[in-house]
Amino acid sequence: MSEKTVQAAPKKNTAFQGVKRYFKEQAIPLVVLLLMIVIASCISPVFLSKPNASNLVVQVALNMVVAMGMFVVILTGGIDLGVGSVVAVSGVLVAGFMQNLPVGIAILATMLICTLIGCFNGLIVARLRIAPFIVTLGMMSFARGVAYWYTQAVPISWKATPGADFMFWLGSGTLGPVPVICLVWLLMIAVTFLLMRFTVVGRILYSLGGNEEAVKLSGINVAKWKVFPYAFSAFCCALGGILLTARLGVGAPNSGEGLDMDAIASVVIGGVSFSGGSGNVSGVVIGVFILGIINNILDLMNVPNYPQLMLKGAIIVVAVILSTIRDQKR
């Protein structure tokens, strides 16, 4: 009796498939980014110069850090409209605390307070089941009021404090040729990527955005996990506020205005589904740089602020429309 040979099915190259799927998902943002670089370099010869490139990577720092938190929130199907106000609270608190506390304690206390603000947002959304849009819209107004109340509408300078040298290094210093502030946002990108790609937290948050009911049926405490995205977003805002204050030399209550729009635009432009459950960190990075290049080239062309706001609003609308179309095709 002859032995039948069974040909084993060829193993799928999962790594190759992952790379292929990534480039398929990020094709449009990558093409847009490359086109923006080409167009910007044609419009202004200054764009590709070393000083402008260095200025660009510093300019995107605040939005890059805040967008990491916004990415996690939107991934779960939520929204955080209060990021700009929390950035303002962070900036004025760290500058105020530095008047009487060591800089390290001032930074830690600021980040703790801001993270608690995010936990409060998350608890209301998760426990009371109030729409994130309403909760964070209220926090946007409340936190901004706190910033103005704390400062009495007068910016607080940290330049005469014992921690001034560290803050100056954080905002304007370099490690070799690389600005310190760039290293900070690179670190936040790495932390967010590792958190969402290789931890249980990331898997649960992706599942929450994809199918919350299925997560409930699997026995996971959904309410507990829905707090985390807002706490993480507030943590990112706290860090962003500290970086902004380090750059400006003062904690200003009006800082961070319009940042919510920039962060949302960056996330959606980067291919993250506005309904949640789909997207990745690298797409957000691409989105931040697309928006940063747009702002940079408009500044180089001396375009007034109002047309810039109109353009950002149009970009958000188009990005959301494309996101919705993409979701419907899946």
Side-chain angles (χ1 to χ4, degrees):
M1 185 173 173
S2 61
E3 187 182 35
K4 293 182 179 180
T5 58
V6 179
Q7 185 177 4
K11 292 183 179 179
K12 294 181 179 180
N13 190 335
T14 55
F16 175 76
Q17 287 181 341
V19 172
K20 184 178 179 181
R21 184 171 62 253
Y22 168 77
F23 279 104
K24 183 178 180 181
E25 293 176 350
Q26 300 301 138
I28 295 178
L30 280 171
V31 170
V32 172
L33 177 61
L34 292 175
L35 283 175
M36 289 304 305
I37 293 173
V38 172
I39 292 171
S41 59
C42 292
I43 292 176
S44 174
V46 180
F47 177 75
L48 291 179
S49 65
K50 184 177 179 180
N52 187 64
S54 178
N55 184 49
L56 176 62
V57 296
V58 171
Q59 282 182 336
V60 301
L62 176 60
N63 191 27
M64 187 72 78
V65 172
V66 174
M68 291 298 111
M70 186 67 77
F71 159 65
V72 175
V73 172
I74 291 179
L75 193 66
T76 60
I79 194 75
D80 190 351
L81 299 179
V83 291
S85 297
V86 178
V87 164
V89 170
S90 171
V92 300
L93 285 182
V94 73
F97 289 163
M98 284 178 64
Q99 310 300 316
N100 301 301
L101 296 172
V103 62
I105 296 177
I107 289 174
L108 289 175
T110 297
M111 298 194 74
L112 176 61
I113 292 171
C114 290
T115 303
L116 289 175
I117 292 175
C119 289
F120 181 75
N121 284 339
L123 284 170
I124 295 178
V125 171
R127 297 294 182 183
L128 301 182
R129 299 184 180 182
I130 299 176
F133 177 88
I134 301 299
V135 175
T136 57
L137 183 64
M139 183 55 71
M140 177 176 67
S141 179
F142 177 80
R144 184 69 64 181
V146 169
Y148 276 102
W149 169 78
Y150 183 78
T151 62
Q152 297 300 301
V154 179
I156 303 174
S157 174
W158 48 259
K159 292 183 178 179
T161 65
D165 290 341
F166 175 80
M167 290 294 281
F168 181 81
W169 175 79
L170 181 64
S172 305
T174 59
L175 282 177
V178 183
V180 174
I181 200 168
C182 295
L183 295 176
V184 175
W185 62 251
L186 284 171
L187 177 62
M188 276 307 304
I189 291 172
V191 168
T192 308
F193 172 76
L194 293 174
L195 177 71
M196 302 305 295
R197 182 69 176 82
F198 297 106
T199 69
V200 175
V201 175
R203 289 193 290 272
I204 291 177
L205 295 182
Y206 269 102
S207 299
L208 277 176
N211 192 334
E212 184 176 324
E213 190 61 32
V215 177
K216 287 180 182 178
L217 294 175
S218 66
I220 295 175
N221 187 337
V222 171
K224 179 180 72 173
W225 288 103
K226 288 185 77 171
V227 175
F228 177 83
Y230 297 93
F232 184 73
S233 177
F235 175 86
C236 292
C237 291
L239 180 58
I242 292 168
L243 293 177
L244 181 61
T245 298
R247 280 189 63 198
L248 298 178
V250 295
N254 64 340
S255 60
E257 291 183 347
L259 185 58
D260 49 351
M261 186 165 64
D262 286 353
I264 293 170
S266 300
V267 172
V268 180
I269 290 171
V272 179
S273 172
F274 206 70
S275 58
S278 176
N280 54 64
V281 172
S282 58
V284 178
V285 174
I286 293 172
V288 170
F289 272 107
I290 289 175
L291 200 62
I293 290 172
I294 291 173
N295 291 334
N296 182 258
I297 195 63
L298 290 177
D299 288 339
L300 291 175
M301 295 172 62
N302 295 318
V303 176
N305 186 50
Y306 300 116
Q308 293 189 33
L309 292 175
M310 294 164 60
L311 179 60
K312 287 180 185 178
I315 288 172
I316 292 176
V317 173
V318 171
V320 171
I321 292 173
L322 293 176
S323 175
T324 303
I325 295 173
R326 184 174 59 247
D327 291 344
Q328 291 174 348
K329 289 181 177 180
R330 286 174 178 169

